[in-house]
Amino acid sequence: QVQLVESGGGLVQTGGSLRLSCAASGRTFSVYGMAWFRQAPGKDREFVASISGGGGSTVYAGSVKGRFTISRDNAKNTVYLQMNSLKPEDTAVYFCARSRTIAFRSDSLEYNYWGQGTQVTVSS
């Protein structure tokens, strides 16, 4: 069983930065694509960013491109989301997820392991 544990959320002012971390259990971490999703109150869960197993390829949602950076350290079984220039509309619970395969697409159905989420609140 794979466990994903997010950390690093909190309250930040508009324009500020946060770095989220997601620590994964298991020995085959580097095989699988990983992603971050978020869910704001009253809204559906949405894709934020994803990364290939080796870390060389990434995909971003248009709303965060140029502001957020996804990365991973396979030696530490950890994936990160560096969030800069935060806006109030970035307020949400952020979830990390592990892909069913090596793919790292934006469809949440392709991910079968999820963390418990970490709250990010951006004040105006």
Side-chain angles (χ1 to χ4, degrees), residues 32-35 97-104 110-113:
Y32 297 94
M34 296 291 295
R98 198 199 81 170
S99 177
R100 299 176 187 274
T101 67
I102 62 172
F104 52 103
E110 302 220 356
Y111 297 83
N112 59 340
Y113 289 104

Side-chain angles (χ1 to χ4, degrees), residues 66-86:
R67 300 188 297 123
F68 290 11
T69 302
I70 187 171
S71 61
R72 65 192 295 164
D73 184 338
N74 287 337
K76 296 182 178 179
N77 276 22
T78 301
V79 62
Y80 305 97
L81 186 68
Q82 177 67 44
M83 305 186 294
N84 299 330
S85 302
L86 282 161

Side-chain angles (χ1 to χ4, degrees), residues 83-98:
M83 305 186 294
N84 299 330
S85 302
L86 282 161
K87 306 175 182 180
E89 50 264 44
D90 294 318
T91 295
V93 178
Y94 283 71
F95 300 88
C96 72
R98 198 199 81 170

Side-chain angles (χ1 to χ4, degrees), residues 4-10 18-24 36 78-83 94-96 115-120:
L4 303 175
V5 180
E6 302 99 333
S7 61
L18 283 174
R19 188 172 87 150
L20 306 184
S21 299
C22 172
W36 288 94
T78 301
V79 62
Y80 305 97
L81 186 68
Q82 177 67 44
M83 305 186 294
Y94 283 71
F95 300 88
C96 72
Q116 82 289 349
T118 186
Q119 177 70 48
V120 171

